[in-house]
Amino acid sequence: MKTVLIPTDFSKNAWNTINYALQFFKDEKCIFYFLNTYTPPVYRVDYLLGGPAYSAIPDTGIDLSLAGLQFTLEEVKQRLPNPNHQFEILSAFNTLTGEINDICKKMQVDFIVMGTQGATGAKEILLGSNTVHVIRKAKVPVMIIPSDLDFKVIKSVLFATDYLMPFKKEEMQFIKDFAQAHKAKLTVMHVKTAKDLTPYQLKNKGKLRSEMGDFHPTFDELEGRLMPESIHGYGIKHPVDLLVMINRGHGYLERLLRKQNVESIAFHINIPFLVLPEASGISPKNKKHETYSDTH
């Protein structure tokens, strides 16, 4: 059973992210964790002792957080009933990034789904510091859903790479399995910064092609453009339903996270953006959970 973590601040965009995720995984057995984090405007001494649960002093922050989560849960049950899906609500006095990291370890999360404005502190795609931190630190795939994006069946996947790092078998298998599961066309896109690929890049490209086996993705080489404008330009001419990148220290993704490049992609991307960690942790496993706080 797949475990999916969705941060929410109960906004319209947060609901849109939940709606997208539940439709995206509608045919899979999943446990969804709805997470809300909060920090009170005034820090109280009893927080050092364990908070309201220890001191019995009321805390409006946790009350509002739990009420919002319970309302979200009831809305999901009413609007998007699905026998494949189970739910758990999580409220935490913590930073969003810190709590996500803790939950991923504790609950063995397979996927994180975040909205561009749907999670506390994450205001824009890649612009919010929380989103950047989650992407950089996550050991599981992170899917970013643009604001107000309606769910659409994924038929075309664009995998952007610079061939500067060797691919790991698990990474390529994940991308291949993902595209096959959605019966989607896979395009591998590279933006040329030199006339020809180096021998090392050619070797990495060859390994990628070999790992894909008989899946036969399309390989595109673009010239005369820099990231991230190339993604936008490619999307204008070709149908793309999902952008995929691997989180490496010196690859495309890191350049996108630099402020001077981030702003242009933030205004142009209107498709889901899936960021994969390096090989360790990207292969979701079926897990059994015996108890949940709320199911349907």
Side-chain angles (χ1 to χ4, degrees), residues 251-263:
Y252 275 171
L253 181 62
E254 185 60 31
R255 293 198 289 275
L256 284 175
L257 296 179
R258 296 174 186 169
K259 185 174 178 58
Q260 65 267 29
N261 286 333
V262 165
E263 292 179 351

Side-chain angles (χ1 to χ4, degrees), residues 157 185-188 208-209 212-220:
V157 176
K185 174 185 176 182
L186 175 63
T187 299
V188 180
L208 187 154
R209 192 187 298 271
M212 288 295 172
D214 59 358
F215 187 63
H216 302 306
T218 299
F219 288 81
D220 271 2

Side-chain angles (χ1 to χ4, degrees), residues 71-101:
F71 179 79
T72 298
L73 188 60
E74 295 303 321
E75 287 291 290
V76 166
K77 287 182 176 182
Q78 181 178 349
R79 298 189 190 185
L80 299 166
N82 188 330
N84 287 327
H85 295 166
Q86 300 175 336
F87 306 96
E88 186 166 340
I89 56 176
L90 302 170
S91 175
F93 168 42
N94 198 353
T95 62
L96 177 64
T97 307
E99 191 63 24
I100 285 177
N101 291 336

Side-chain angles (χ1 to χ4, degrees), residues 11-71:
S11 65
K12 176 183 176 182
N13 287 315
W15 172 256
N16 185 71
T17 300
I18 292 173
N19 181 71
Y20 190 99
L22 267 62
Q23 292 188 72
F24 184 84
F25 293 108
K26 67 182 178 67
D27 295 324
E28 297 190 60
K29 291 186 178 296
C30 298
I31 304 166
F32 292 93
Y33 294 98
F34 298 146
L35 168 67
N36 177 256
T37 60
Y38 69 96
T39 52
V42 178
Y43 192 87
R44 299 181 342 202
V45 175
D46 66 304
Y47 288 128
L48 297 174
L49 304 175
Y54 178 88
S55 65
I57 300 174
D59 184 336
T60 57
I62 192 170
D63 292 341
L64 291 172
S65 178
L66 289 172
L69 286 167
Q70 190 60 44
F71 179 79

